[in-house]
Amino acid sequence: MIERTLEPILRQKCRESKIVVLKGARRTGRLTLVSRIFNLEDPQVGIIDCSAKKERKQMNSLEQLKVFSRDKRVIIIRDAQLLEPLQDYIDFAIESDSLENLILVCSFEPELHEDLWEALRNQGLELNLFSLTYAESAKFHGLVQEDKELEQRLIYGYYPEVITSPGSTEQIISDILETGIFTQLGASERINKKENLIRLLRHLAFSIGKVISFNDLGKKCNLDNETVERYVKLFTKANLLVLIPSYNNGSRYELKKSHVVYFLDNGIRNALIRAFQPLEFRNDVEELWRNFVISERFKANQYADKHPESFFWLTHTKQEVDYLEIANGEAFGVKMCWEDSKKIKVPTSFQELYPQIKVTGVNKKTFWTFLKK
């Protein structure tokens, strides 16, 4: 079994607190991770699967939940965001002397009282599980083997089933997209037309690393720009996308109030546009590489409990720095290129405007150093 970076963190949080929220897209291995900490065959460990309508209906009252909890020391609620009396049940669990742990496994933020969310976040009890990382896979397969598989990772991504079943990757990732992604947004959110949602995701998949316009996307998807913006923010909450704003100091040449998007898994992006061709037959290799590196950096920061500000920099004359990161008053920039033989050029205008920010190149030979930075 591939060891997950989040395992010791989740284990420690379960020792320290009764309630822990484990968020993550479906099929990223959430329940598998929980099973590494709790024996799911133990009769004192109860699982409520809210992804199953029949079971969710059976548990749709506080009294039924209380009955289920008798003689249980651990309760795990799968897709807890779908359980209507969740807040009432949490209040009950907090007061229960017999219940040691309540684990809320979610694909989206459940609706809880704001003061409870504040307490959970202040104590670091809201954890995010992503698809596998380069570091996790390299630890399992070995660094040399993982580097040999790097081109495949750019195409098929890092969902656990994709890594463990390499013989049927295209079917697996397409199935994950259909059964996992399109059904994991918040139950209370206004998702009116699934076909428009899918169309929007596909347009975003074609636009990774490019400046997006909510208005233009809306016209292409038959949605108003406010709905597009709301959907994009839902995708970021659901750990599908990373939305990165532009960086500027007011220079008239710099883009302002602009955004680019990246997917948190390359395989999902490629499944949306049905593009699984080898790199030698593609014209989007650099976009795939940037998506890979930025998503890996995002996951690494999250697992390390680091929350820097992230930006891109672009001028109207197409001078560009792919990624900027600012934390504790310090900043650095990155330009990315898949081939290690190509020399990275830092825009002169950026150096003049921001001489204090060092920009380095990241290619397939140097990205591991960047991820560990």
Side-chain angles (χ1 to χ4, degrees):
M1 183 175 291
I2 298 176
E3 185 179 337
R4 305 304 302 266
T5 304
L6 200 60
E7 182 181 334
I9 302 170
L10 178 60
R11 192 180 296 275
Q12 180 65 28
K13 296 300 181 181
C14 289
R15 285 196 293 263
E16 296 174 349
S17 175
K18 176 176 287 189
I19 300 172
V20 177
V21 178
L22 177 62
K23 287 170 50 186
R26 289 176 181 170
R27 300 172 75 167
T28 51
R30 300 168 303 170
L31 202 59
T32 301
L33 176 60
V34 172
S35 71
R36 300 266 292 179
I37 298 169
F38 301 105
N39 178 9
L40 304 188
E41 302 299 321
D42 187 338
Q44 291 187 305
V45 177
I47 302 177
I48 301 171
D49 187 0
C50 293
S51 66
K53 290 183 179 180
K54 185 176 180 180
E55 188 166 345
R56 187 166 73 240
K57 189 176 181 180
Q58 290 174 344
M59 294 293 171
N60 214 24
S61 77
L62 180 58
E63 290 307 314
Q64 289 168 317
L65 290 165
K66 287 180 178 179
V67 171
F68 179 82
S69 301
R70 289 174 186 168
D71 304 320
K72 299 287 192 301
R73 61 180 182 84
V74 176
I75 296 292
I76 300 159
I77 306 181
R78 187 178 185 183
D79 280 334
Q81 76 277 359
L82 301 176
L83 189 64
E84 289 185 16
L86 181 61
Q87 180 65 58
D88 293 335
Y89 184 60
I90 291 174
D91 294 338
F92 160 77
I94 291 172
E95 299 297 325
S96 172
D97 293 328
S98 59
L99 194 61
E100 297 175 11
N101 288 106
L102 174 61
I103 312 301
L104 309 180
V105 180
C106 308
S107 56
F108 198 84
E109 287 184 4
E111 290 191 16
L112 303 177
H113 292 162
E114 191 56 42
D115 54 348
L116 175 60
W117 266 128
E118 185 177 356
L120 290 170
R121 285 165 177 156
N122 286 342
Q123 297 175 56
L125 300 175
E126 180 193 30
L127 304 176
N128 283 288
L129 181 68
F130 306 102
S131 56
L132 294 171
T133 66
Y134 173 87
E136 289 169 335
S137 191
K139 188 174 182 180
F140 181 78
H141 293 108
L143 198 58
V144 173
Q145 182 60 34
E146 190 61 26
D147 276 343
K148 290 180 180 178
E149 299 291 336
L150 192 55
E151 290 192 23
Q152 293 297 298
R153 307 304 189 221
L154 263 63
I155 297 168
Y156 296 110
Y158 269 119
Y159 269 77
E161 293 168 73
V162 171
I163 301 300
T164 56
S165 304
S168 51
T169 46
E170 288 187 26
Q171 181 58 46
I172 290 171
I173 196 66
S174 297
D175 186 50
I176 289 172
L177 180 66
E178 182 61 33
T179 63
I181 302 305
F182 294 145
T183 59
Q184 73 179 52
L185 297 179
S188 64
E189 297 295 341
R190 303 185 308 279
I191 307 297
N192 300 318
K193 294 183 179 180
K194 180 182 174 182
E195 62 271 20
N196 288 347
L197 184 77
I198 296 171
R199 192 178 302 149
L200 173 59
L201 276 169
R202 285 181 174 147
H203 277 293
L204 291 170
F206 278 114
S207 303
I208 53 172
K210 301 175 183 176
V211 176
I212 60 170
S213 162
F214 296 137
N215 187 54
D216 289 346
L217 287 168
K219 290 177 181 178
K220 293 175 181 177
C221 302
N222 195 27
L223 297 167
D224 62 79
N225 61 333
E226 290 182 358
T227 300
V228 170
E229 185 174 1
R230 182 170 65 85
Y231 281 5
V232 169
K233 289 180 179 178
L234 284 177
F235 298 148
T236 61
K237 283 185 177 181
N239 289 328
L240 292 177
L241 296 178
V242 180
L243 185 66
I244 301 180
S246 56
Y247 186 79
N248 71 89
N249 68 357
S251 169
R252 64 192 177 114
Y253 298 108
E254 297 173 309
L255 264 66
K256 305 171 183 65
K257 297 181 180 180
S258 300
H259 294 85
V260 297
V261 295
Y262 293 96
F263 282 74
L264 269 170
D265 187 82
N266 274 43
I268 294 298
R269 183 267 178 177
N270 288 328
L272 279 163
I273 60 174
R274 303 181 182 92
F276 293 113
Q277 304 95 325
L279 296 191
E280 60 185 302
F281 300 117
R282 304 182 69 126
N283 61 5
D284 62 349
V285 174
E286 295 302 331
E287 288 83 358
L288 287 175
W289 178 238
R290 287 198 298 272
N291 194 94
F292 173 81
V293 174
I294 288 175
S295 63
E296 286 295 308
R297 178 66 179 180
F298 179 86
K299 291 186 283 187
N301 279 335
Q302 287 285 309
Y303 285 153
D305 198 24
K306 296 178 181 178
H307 306 282
E309 294 182 277
S310 300
F311 302 92
F312 75 99
W313 182 83
L314 183 65
T315 70
H316 293 287
T317 56
K318 306 301 180 183
Q319 299 294 301
E320 185 174 16
V321 174
D322 298 316
Y323 181 76
L324 294 166
E325 195 170 284
I326 302 175
N328 303 318
E330 297 185 359
F332 67 87
V334 171
K335 281 186 69 69
M336 301 172 199
C337 183
W338 167 243
E339 294 294 343
D340 56 301
S341 58
K342 291 184 179 180
K343 188 175 181 180
I344 298 293
K345 293 184 179 180
V346 181
T348 303
S349 53
F350 183 86
Q351 294 176 313
E352 292 172 349
L353 286 168
Y354 307 105
Q356 76 281 11
I357 300 179
K358 183 179 179 181
V359 179
T360 57
V362 171
N363 57 48
K364 59 184 176 182
K365 294 287 182 67
T366 62
F367 79 97
W368 180 226
T369 302
F370 166 62
L371 294 183
K372 295 189 295 182
K373 185 172 182 178

